[in-house]
Amino acid sequence: GERAREGIKINEGLLALGNVINALADEERAAKEKKIHVPYRQSKLTRLLQDALGGNSQTLFLACISPSDTNASETLSTL
């Protein structure tokens, strides 16, 4: 049903994100060609992240961690 369609859309978005990252990281192809095609338009996710992925922005990373022993495993997995 609806959950399956939602899961398919999420997987499509993640696949498109992987394709964009692979295109940006392909140094061998970038050395041979002056311009490489980066498939930002494959999904809404990659369109939204285009500026951040293309190096045209600054990125902030925020991690919520806790000094409490009860939250130690969550803190370690976050870091």
Side-chain angles (χ1 to χ4, degrees):
E2 191 171 325
R3 281 197 175 176
R5 284 191 297 275
E6 184 178 335
I8 289 169
K9 288 293 185 186
I10 290 170
N11 286 336
E12 287 175 353
L14 292 175
L15 178 64
L17 180 60
N19 291 339
V20 168
I21 291 170
N22 284 335
L24 291 170
D26 193 356
E27 294 176 14
E28 182 179 320
R29 198 170 80 191
K32 291 179 184 176
E33 303 173 22
K34 290 184 180 180
K35 272 196 162 187
I36 60 170
H37 173 70
V38 181
Y40 289 115
R41 294 185 179 190
Q42 281 186 345
S43 78
K44 290 179 184 179
L45 176 65
T46 53
R47 273 188 241 146
L48 288 171
L49 295 174
Q50 182 173 359
D51 290 336
L53 293 170
N56 297 328
S57 67
Q58 294 180 351
T59 303
L60 174 70
F61 181 76
L62 180 66
C64 295
I65 59 173
S66 171
S68 173
D69 289 338
T70 58
N71 297 329
S73 65
E74 287 184 33
T75 297
L76 286 175
S77 66
T78 298
L79 296 174

